[in-house]
């Protein structure tokens, strides 16, 4: 199996919803982000990909590194995706799908959803986010 290294964003709106995107020609939703180019840091890739994919300009200083996650690639058979994931908080930013992104959706992680998701999103990133939300409520 080949490994694809990516930078991905857990984009979180002030109301707690998170953004998922679907690439053109696919039916699977995932975090925005993309492949890390040679000589590029994961944070540089994240900034570039968010601008290219959804028209979102971020200050790299505000992106919070959450960790490295690995799962089967959603759209590339026989590949594993290794993602360096950052949380990016936004407040009322307009998200505009561009480049290879066909659709963007805000979802609540507290409510069940029936949209098809990438394994990385469904089994790792969203459960991690739910856990951090639960931990935050326990401390209140």
């Amino acid at each position: 199996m080949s490994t694809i290294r990516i930078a991905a964003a857990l984009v979180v709106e002030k109301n707690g919803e998170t953004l998922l995107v679907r690439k053109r020609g696919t039916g699977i939703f995932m975090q925005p982000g993309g492949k890390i180019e040679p000589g590029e840091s994961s944070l540089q890739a994240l900034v570039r990909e968010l601008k290219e994919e959804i028209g979102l300009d971020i200050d790299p200083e505000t992106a919070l590194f959450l960790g490295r996650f690995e799962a089967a690639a959603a759209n590339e058979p026989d590949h594993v995706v290794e993602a360096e994931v950052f949380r990016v908080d936004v407040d009322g930013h307009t998200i505009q799908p561009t480049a290879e992104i066909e659709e963007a959706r805000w979802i609540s992680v507290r409510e069940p959803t029936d949209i098809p998701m990438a394994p990385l999103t469904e089994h790792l990133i969203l459960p991690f986010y739910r856990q951090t939300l639960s931990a935050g409520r326990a401390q209140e």
Side-chain angles (χ1 to χ4, degrees), residues 89-118:
D89 292 320
V90 297
D91 184 10
H93 288 322
T94 300
I95 301 299
Q96 182 63 46
T98 58
E100 73 267 15
I101 302 302
E102 188 164 13
E103 184 178 0
R105 279 197 205 174
W106 291 100
I107 66 160
S108 168
V109 295
R110 293 184 173 109
E111 313 266 330
T113 182
D114 61 354
I115 63 173
M117 291 184 247

PDB file of all heavy atoms in Angstrom, residues 89-118:
ATOM      1  N   ASP A  89     -10.577  27.650  13.557  1.00  0.00           N
ATOM      2  CA  ASP A  89     -11.840  28.245  13.993  1.00  0.00           C
ATOM      3  C   ASP A  89     -12.184  29.420  13.097  1.00  0.00           C
ATOM      4  O   ASP A  89     -11.323  30.251  12.797  1.00  0.00           O
ATOM      5  CB  ASP A  89     -11.738  28.709  15.451  1.00  0.00           C
ATOM      6  CG  ASP A  89     -11.620  27.539  16.419  1.00  0.00           C
ATOM      7  OD1 ASP A  89     -12.301  26.517  16.217  1.00  0.00           O
ATOM      8  OD2 ASP A  89     -10.839  27.639  17.377  1.00  0.00           O
ATOM      9  N   VAL A  90     -13.438  29.466  12.664  1.00  0.00           N
ATOM     10  CA  VAL A  90     -13.924  30.552  11.817  1.00  0.00           C
ATOM     11  C   VAL A  90     -15.210  31.097  12.413  1.00  0.00           C
ATOM     12  O   VAL A  90     -15.875  30.433  13.204  1.00  0.00           O
ATOM     13  CB  VAL A  90     -14.151  30.098  10.351  1.00  0.00           C
ATOM     14  CG1 VAL A  90     -12.857  29.648   9.705  1.00  0.00           C
ATOM     15  CG2 VAL A  90     -15.202  29.004  10.264  1.00  0.00           C
ATOM     16  N   ASP A  91     -15.557  32.288  12.019  1.00  0.00           N
ATOM     17  CA  ASP A  91     -16.775  32.923  12.513  1.00  0.00           C
ATOM     18  C   ASP A  91     -17.425  33.689  11.370  1.00  0.00           C
ATOM     19  O   ASP A  91     -17.019  34.794  11.051  1.00  0.00           O
ATOM     20  CB  ASP A  91     -16.443  33.860  13.675  1.00  0.00           C
ATOM     21  CG  ASP A  91     -17.689  34.475  14.301  1.00  0.00           C
ATOM     22  OD1 ASP A  91     -18.807  34.046  13.982  1.00  0.00           O
ATOM     23  OD2 ASP A  91     -17.533  35.404  15.126  1.00  0.00           O
ATOM     24  N   GLY A  92     -18.372  33.032  10.722  1.00  0.00           N
ATOM     25  CA  GLY A  92     -19.125  33.683   9.670  1.00  0.00           C
ATOM     26  C   GLY A  92     -18.404  33.867   8.349  1.00  0.00           C
ATOM     27  O   GLY A  92     -18.825  34.662   7.528  1.00  0.00           O
ATOM     28  N   HIS A  93     -17.301  33.156   8.139  1.00  0.00           N
ATOM     29  CA  HIS A  93     -16.604  33.258   6.856  1.00  0.00           C
ATOM     30  C   HIS A  93     -17.442  32.625   5.754  1.00  0.00           C
ATOM     31  O   HIS A  93     -18.064  31.595   5.954  1.00  0.00           O
ATOM     32  CB  HIS A  93     -15.255  32.538   6.895  1.00  0.00           C
ATOM     33  CG  HIS A  93     -14.217  33.227   7.708  1.00  0.00           C
ATOM     34  ND1 HIS A  93     -14.063  34.585   7.746  1.00  0.00           N
ATOM     35  CD2 HIS A  93     -13.264  32.735   8.519  1.00  0.00           C
ATOM     36  CE1 HIS A  93     -13.075  34.904   8.538  1.00  0.00           C
ATOM     37  NE2 HIS A  93     -12.566  33.799   9.037  1.00  0.00           N
ATOM     38  N   THR A  94     -17.427  33.241   4.595  1.00  0.00           N
ATOM     39  CA  THR A  94     -18.095  32.659   3.442  1.00  0.00           C
ATOM     40  C   THR A  94     -17.176  31.603   2.850  1.00  0.00           C
ATOM     41  O   THR A  94     -16.003  31.857   2.583  1.00  0.00           O
ATOM     42  CB  THR A  94     -18.391  33.736   2.385  1.00  0.00           C
ATOM     43  OG1 THR A  94     -19.231  34.724   2.979  1.00  0.00           O
ATOM     44  CG2 THR A  94     -19.066  33.144   1.177  1.00  0.00           C
ATOM     45  N   ILE A  95     -17.709  30.420   2.689  1.00  0.00           N
ATOM     46  CA  ILE A  95     -16.958  29.313   2.111  1.00  0.00           C
ATOM     47  C   ILE A  95     -17.438  29.141   0.675  1.00  0.00           C
ATOM     48  O   ILE A  95     -18.636  29.010   0.418  1.00  0.00           O
ATOM     49  CB  ILE A  95     -17.200  28.001   2.907  1.00  0.00           C
ATOM     50  CG1 ILE A  95     -16.782  28.184   4.370  1.00  0.00           C
ATOM     51  CG2 ILE A  95     -16.518  26.832   2.247  1.00  0.00           C
ATOM     52  CD1 ILE A  95     -15.334  28.510   4.602  1.00  0.00           C
ATOM     53  N   GLN A  96     -16.501  29.159  -0.250  1.00  0.00           N
ATOM     54  CA  GLN A  96     -16.836  29.028  -1.662  1.00  0.00           C
ATOM     55  C   GLN A  96     -16.077  27.852  -2.262  1.00  0.00           C
ATOM     56  O   GLN A  96     -14.867  27.933  -2.437  1.00  0.00           O
ATOM     57  CB  GLN A  96     -16.476  30.322  -2.410  1.00  0.00           C
ATOM     58  CG  GLN A  96     -16.830  30.297  -3.866  1.00  0.00           C
ATOM     59  CD  GLN A  96     -18.321  30.166  -4.095  1.00  0.00           C
ATOM     60  OE1 GLN A  96     -19.114  30.847  -3.475  1.00  0.00           O
ATOM     61  NE2 GLN A  96     -18.710  29.283  -4.987  1.00  0.00           N
ATOM     62  N   PRO A  97     -16.784  26.736  -2.559  1.00  0.00           N
ATOM     63  CA  PRO A  97     -16.088  25.604  -3.193  1.00  0.00           C
ATOM     64  C   PRO A  97     -15.471  26.023  -4.523  1.00  0.00           C
ATOM     65  O   PRO A  97     -16.132  26.624  -5.362  1.00  0.00           O
ATOM     66  CB  PRO A  97     -17.195  24.574  -3.408  1.00  0.00           C
ATOM     67  CG  PRO A  97     -18.288  24.960  -2.469  1.00  0.00           C
ATOM     68  CD  PRO A  97     -18.192  26.452  -2.329  1.00  0.00           C
ATOM     69  N   THR A  98     -14.174  25.741  -4.675  1.00  0.00           N
ATOM     70  CA  THR A  98     -13.464  26.048  -5.914  1.00  0.00           C
ATOM     71  C   THR A  98     -12.570  24.876  -6.259  1.00  0.00           C
ATOM     72  O   THR A  98     -12.568  23.857  -5.570  1.00  0.00           O
ATOM     73  CB  THR A  98     -12.611  27.329  -5.766  1.00  0.00           C
ATOM     74  OG1 THR A  98     -11.692  27.148  -4.694  1.00  0.00           O
ATOM     75  CG2 THR A  98     -13.455  28.550  -5.483  1.00  0.00           C
ATOM     76  N   ALA A  99     -11.781  25.018  -7.292  1.00  0.00           N
ATOM     77  CA  ALA A  99     -10.845  23.973  -7.746  1.00  0.00           C
ATOM     78  C   ALA A  99     -11.599  22.658  -7.890  1.00  0.00           C
ATOM     79  O   ALA A  99     -12.616  22.610  -8.571  1.00  0.00           O
ATOM     80  CB  ALA A  99      -9.649  23.866  -6.799  1.00  0.00           C
ATOM     81  N   GLU A 100     -11.110  21.605  -7.233  1.00  0.00           N
ATOM     82  CA  GLU A 100     -11.731  20.283  -7.388  1.00  0.00           C
ATOM     83  C   GLU A 100     -12.896  20.043  -6.437  1.00  0.00           C
ATOM     84  O   GLU A 100     -13.500  18.979  -6.453  1.00  0.00           O
ATOM     85  CB  GLU A 100     -10.681  19.173  -7.223  1.00  0.00           C
ATOM     86  CG  GLU A 100     -10.204  18.968  -5.797  1.00  0.00           C
ATOM     87  CD  GLU A 100      -8.961  19.754  -5.435  1.00  0.00           C
ATOM     88  OE1 GLU A 100      -8.583  20.697  -6.161  1.00  0.00           O
ATOM     89  OE2 GLU A 100      -8.358  19.436  -4.408  1.00  0.00           O
ATOM     90  N   ILE A 101     -13.238  21.023  -5.601  1.00  0.00           N
ATOM     91  CA  ILE A 101     -14.321  20.851  -4.633  1.00  0.00           C
ATOM     92  C   ILE A 101     -15.657  21.185  -5.296  1.00  0.00           C
ATOM     93  O   ILE A 101     -15.859  22.279  -5.815  1.00  0.00           O
ATOM     94  CB  ILE A 101     -14.104  21.727  -3.378  1.00  0.00           C
ATOM     95  CG1 ILE A 101     -12.775  21.385  -2.721  1.00  0.00           C
ATOM     96  CG2 ILE A 101     -15.265  21.547  -2.393  1.00  0.00           C
ATOM     97  CD1 ILE A 101     -12.596  19.933  -2.303  1.00  0.00           C
ATOM     98  N   GLU A 102     -16.564  20.226  -5.250  1.00  0.00           N
ATOM     99  CA  GLU A 102     -17.885  20.421  -5.845  1.00  0.00           C
ATOM    100  C   GLU A 102     -18.913  20.882  -4.823  1.00  0.00           C
ATOM    101  O   GLU A 102     -19.843  21.619  -5.159  1.00  0.00           O
ATOM    102  CB  GLU A 102     -18.357  19.126  -6.501  1.00  0.00           C
ATOM    103  CG  GLU A 102     -19.622  19.278  -7.295  1.00  0.00           C
ATOM    104  CD  GLU A 102     -19.874  18.127  -8.233  1.00  0.00           C
ATOM    105  OE1 GLU A 102     -19.221  17.083  -8.124  1.00  0.00           O
ATOM    106  OE2 GLU A 102     -20.752  18.278  -9.101  1.00  0.00           O
ATOM    107  N   GLU A 103     -18.762  20.451  -3.573  1.00  0.00           N
ATOM    108  CA  GLU A 103     -19.771  20.765  -2.559  1.00  0.00           C
ATOM    109  C   GLU A 103     -19.116  20.901  -1.188  1.00  0.00           C
ATOM    110  O   GLU A 103     -18.186  20.174  -0.856  1.00  0.00           O
ATOM    111  CB  GLU A 103     -20.806  19.631  -2.522  1.00  0.00           C
ATOM    112  CG  GLU A 103     -21.965  19.848  -1.600  1.00  0.00           C
ATOM    113  CD  GLU A 103     -22.981  18.722  -1.644  1.00  0.00           C
ATOM    114  OE1 GLU A 103     -22.798  17.740  -2.392  1.00  0.00           O
ATOM    115  OE2 GLU A 103     -23.965  18.823  -0.907  1.00  0.00           O
ATOM    116  N   ALA A 104     -19.625  21.836  -0.411  1.00  0.00           N
ATOM    117  CA  ALA A 104     -19.187  22.021   0.972  1.00  0.00           C
ATOM    118  C   ALA A 104     -20.437  22.034   1.848  1.00  0.00           C
ATOM    119  O   ALA A 104     -21.444  22.643   1.479  1.00  0.00           O
ATOM    120  CB  ALA A 104     -18.423  23.333   1.122  1.00  0.00           C
ATOM    121  N   ARG A 105     -20.357  21.345   2.988  1.00  0.00           N
ATOM    122  CA  ARG A 105     -21.493  21.280   3.918  1.00  0.00           C
ATOM    123  C   ARG A 105     -21.024  21.463   5.351  1.00  0.00           C
ATOM    124  O   ARG A 105     -20.042  20.864   5.770  1.00  0.00           O
ATOM    125  CB  ARG A 105     -22.162  19.914   3.864  1.00  0.00           C
ATOM    126  CG  ARG A 105     -23.102  19.711   2.749  1.00  0.00           C
ATOM    127  CD  ARG A 105     -23.983  18.513   3.043  1.00  0.00           C
ATOM    128  NE  ARG A 105     -24.474  17.949   1.810  1.00  0.00           N
ATOM    129  CZ  ARG A 105     -25.161  16.844   1.725  1.00  0.00           C
ATOM    130  NH1 ARG A 105     -25.410  16.131   2.803  1.00  0.00           N
ATOM    131  NH2 ARG A 105     -25.583  16.412   0.572  1.00  0.00           N
ATOM    132  N   TRP A 106     -21.791  22.252   6.094  1.00  0.00           N
ATOM    133  CA  TRP A 106     -21.572  22.376   7.533  1.00  0.00           C
ATOM    134  C   TRP A 106     -22.416  21.304   8.207  1.00  0.00           C
ATOM    135  O   TRP A 106     -23.588  21.147   7.870  1.00  0.00           O
ATOM    136  CB  TRP A 106     -22.005  23.757   8.027  1.00  0.00           C
ATOM    137  CG  TRP A 106     -21.111  24.850   7.548  1.00  0.00           C
ATOM    138  CD1 TRP A 106     -21.340  25.696   6.500  1.00  0.00           C
ATOM    139  CD2 TRP A 106     -19.844  25.212   8.089  1.00  0.00           C
ATOM    140  NE1 TRP A 106     -20.275  26.553   6.352  1.00  0.00           N
ATOM    141  CE2 TRP A 106     -19.346  26.287   7.324  1.00  0.00           C
ATOM    142  CE3 TRP A 106     -19.066  24.733   9.140  1.00  0.00           C
ATOM    143  CZ2 TRP A 106     -18.127  26.899   7.581  1.00  0.00           C
ATOM    144  CZ3 TRP A 106     -17.849  25.339   9.403  1.00  0.00           C
ATOM    145  CH2 TRP A 106     -17.390  26.409   8.635  1.00  0.00           C
ATOM    146  N   ILE A 107     -21.823  20.570   9.126  1.00  0.00           N
ATOM    147  CA  ILE A 107     -22.575  19.538   9.843  1.00  0.00           C
ATOM    148  C   ILE A 107     -22.398  19.716  11.347  1.00  0.00           C
ATOM    149  O   ILE A 107     -21.391  20.241  11.820  1.00  0.00           O
ATOM    150  CB  ILE A 107     -22.150  18.105   9.447  1.00  0.00           C
ATOM    151  CG1 ILE A 107     -20.709  17.821   9.890  1.00  0.00           C
ATOM    152  CG2 ILE A 107     -22.345  17.852   7.966  1.00  0.00           C
ATOM    153  CD1 ILE A 107     -20.392  16.340   9.989  1.00  0.00           C
ATOM    154  N   SER A 108     -23.383  19.251  12.076  1.00  0.00           N
ATOM    155  CA  SER A 108     -23.283  19.202  13.529  1.00  0.00           C
ATOM    156  C   SER A 108     -22.726  17.830  13.893  1.00  0.00           C
ATOM    157  O   SER A 108     -23.227  16.812  13.419  1.00  0.00           O
ATOM    158  CB  SER A 108     -24.663  19.370  14.164  1.00  0.00           C
ATOM    159  OG  SER A 108     -24.594  19.052  15.547  1.00  0.00           O
ATOM    160  N   VAL A 109     -21.698  17.814  14.723  1.00  0.00           N
ATOM    161  CA  VAL A 109     -21.145  16.516  15.132  1.00  0.00           C
ATOM    162  C   VAL A 109     -21.965  15.909  16.263  1.00  0.00           C
ATOM    163  O   VAL A 109     -21.757  14.750  16.619  1.00  0.00           O
ATOM    164  CB  VAL A 109     -19.660  16.615  15.550  1.00  0.00           C
ATOM    165  CG1 VAL A 109     -18.805  17.002  14.357  1.00  0.00           C
ATOM    166  CG2 VAL A 109     -19.461  17.549  16.708  1.00  0.00           C
ATOM    167  N   ARG A 110     -22.890  16.667  16.805  1.00  0.00           N
ATOM    168  CA  ARG A 110     -23.752  16.163  17.888  1.00  0.00           C
ATOM    169  C   ARG A 110     -24.986  15.450  17.350  1.00  0.00           C
ATOM    170  O   ARG A 110     -25.649  14.741  18.073  1.00  0.00           O
ATOM    171  CB  ARG A 110     -24.159  17.311  18.794  1.00  0.00           C
ATOM    172  CG  ARG A 110     -22.993  17.888  19.560  1.00  0.00           C
ATOM    173  CD  ARG A 110     -23.477  18.962  20.531  1.00  0.00           C
ATOM    174  NE  ARG A 110     -22.396  19.400  21.384  1.00  0.00           N
ATOM    175  CZ  ARG A 110     -21.808  20.581  21.302  1.00  0.00           C
ATOM    176  NH1 ARG A 110     -22.191  21.441  20.381  1.00  0.00           N
ATOM    177  NH2 ARG A 110     -20.843  20.908  22.129  1.00  0.00           N
ATOM    178  N   GLU A 111     -25.295  15.666  16.082  1.00  0.00           N
ATOM    179  CA  GLU A 111     -26.483  15.076  15.452  1.00  0.00           C
ATOM    180  C   GLU A 111     -26.041  14.022  14.438  1.00  0.00           C
ATOM    181  O   GLU A 111     -25.063  14.220  13.732  1.00  0.00           O
ATOM    182  CB  GLU A 111     -27.262  16.160  14.690  1.00  0.00           C
ATOM    183  CG  GLU A 111     -27.474  17.422  15.460  1.00  0.00           C
ATOM    184  CD  GLU A 111     -28.787  17.431  16.178  1.00  0.00           C
ATOM    185  OE1 GLU A 111     -29.731  16.806  15.686  1.00  0.00           O
ATOM    186  OE2 GLU A 111     -28.857  18.064  17.246  1.00  0.00           O
ATOM    187  N   PRO A 112     -26.768  12.913  14.359  1.00  0.00           N
ATOM    188  CA  PRO A 112     -26.405  11.904  13.352  1.00  0.00           C
ATOM    189  C   PRO A 112     -26.600  12.464  11.941  1.00  0.00           C
ATOM    190  O   PRO A 112     -27.473  13.284  11.704  1.00  0.00           O
ATOM    191  CB  PRO A 112     -27.364  10.753  13.615  1.00  0.00           C
ATOM    192  CG  PRO A 112     -28.268  11.170  14.710  1.00  0.00           C
ATOM    193  CD  PRO A 112     -27.896  12.542  15.165  1.00  0.00           C
ATOM    194  N   THR A 113     -25.757  12.020  11.033  1.00  0.00           N
ATOM    195  CA  THR A 113     -25.876  12.431   9.636  1.00  0.00           C
ATOM    196  C   THR A 113     -25.744  11.197   8.760  1.00  0.00           C
ATOM    197  O   THR A 113     -25.091  10.230   9.144  1.00  0.00           O
ATOM    198  CB  THR A 113     -24.812  13.484   9.263  1.00  0.00           C
ATOM    199  OG1 THR A 113     -25.017  13.876   7.912  1.00  0.00           O
ATOM    200  CG2 THR A 113     -23.408  12.966   9.445  1.00  0.00           C
ATOM    201  N   ASP A 114     -26.376  11.235   7.619  1.00  0.00           N
ATOM    202  CA  ASP A 114     -26.328  10.076   6.725  1.00  0.00           C
ATOM    203  C   ASP A 114     -25.467  10.332   5.492  1.00  0.00           C
ATOM    204  O   ASP A 114     -25.509   9.571   4.540  1.00  0.00           O
ATOM    205  CB  ASP A 114     -27.739   9.653   6.320  1.00  0.00           C
ATOM    206  CG  ASP A 114     -28.491  10.739   5.566  1.00  0.00           C
ATOM    207  OD1 ASP A 114     -27.975  11.869   5.454  1.00  0.00           O
ATOM    208  OD2 ASP A 114     -29.604  10.461   5.096  1.00  0.00           O
ATOM    209  N   ILE A 115     -24.674  11.398   5.510  1.00  0.00           N
ATOM    210  CA  ILE A 115     -23.835  11.635   4.339  1.00  0.00           C
ATOM    211  C   ILE A 115     -22.631  10.690   4.376  1.00  0.00           C
ATOM    212  O   ILE A 115     -22.090  10.407   5.439  1.00  0.00           O
ATOM    213  CB  ILE A 115     -23.390  13.115   4.210  1.00  0.00           C
ATOM    214  CG1 ILE A 115     -22.520  13.546   5.380  1.00  0.00           C
ATOM    215  CG2 ILE A 115     -24.582  14.044   4.070  1.00  0.00           C
ATOM    216  CD1 ILE A 115     -21.922  14.928   5.195  1.00  0.00           C
ATOM    217  N   PRO A 116     -22.243  10.180   3.219  1.00  0.00           N
ATOM    218  CA  PRO A 116     -21.087   9.269   3.167  1.00  0.00           C
ATOM    219  C   PRO A 116     -19.792  10.018   3.437  1.00  0.00           C
ATOM    220  O   PRO A 116     -19.564  11.088   2.874  1.00  0.00           O
ATOM    221  CB  PRO A 116     -21.129   8.711   1.750  1.00  0.00           C
ATOM    222  CG  PRO A 116     -21.918   9.700   0.949  1.00  0.00           C
ATOM    223  CD  PRO A 116     -22.841  10.395   1.910  1.00  0.00           C
ATOM    224  N   MET A 117     -18.978   9.469   4.336  1.00  0.00           N
ATOM    225  CA  MET A 117     -17.742  10.143   4.729  1.00  0.00           C
ATOM    226  C   MET A 117     -16.526   9.251   4.530  1.00  0.00           C
ATOM    227  O   MET A 117     -16.623   8.030   4.611  1.00  0.00           O
ATOM    228  CB  MET A 117     -17.814  10.540   6.202  1.00  0.00           C
ATOM    229  CG  MET A 117     -18.797  11.631   6.498  1.00  0.00           C
ATOM    230  SD  MET A 117     -18.726  12.094   8.227  1.00  0.00           S
ATOM    231  CE  MET A 117     -20.324  11.527   8.764  1.00  0.00           C
ATOM    232  N   ALA A 118     -15.390   9.905   4.332  1.00  0.00           N
ATOM    233  CA  ALA A 118     -14.112   9.212   4.238  1.00  0.00           C
ATOM    234  C   ALA A 118     -13.828   8.519   5.571  1.00  0.00           C
ATOM    235  O   ALA A 118     -14.207   9.032   6.629  1.00  0.00           O
ATOM    236  CB  ALA A 118     -13.007  10.211   3.921  1.00  0.00           C
TER     237      ALA A 118
END
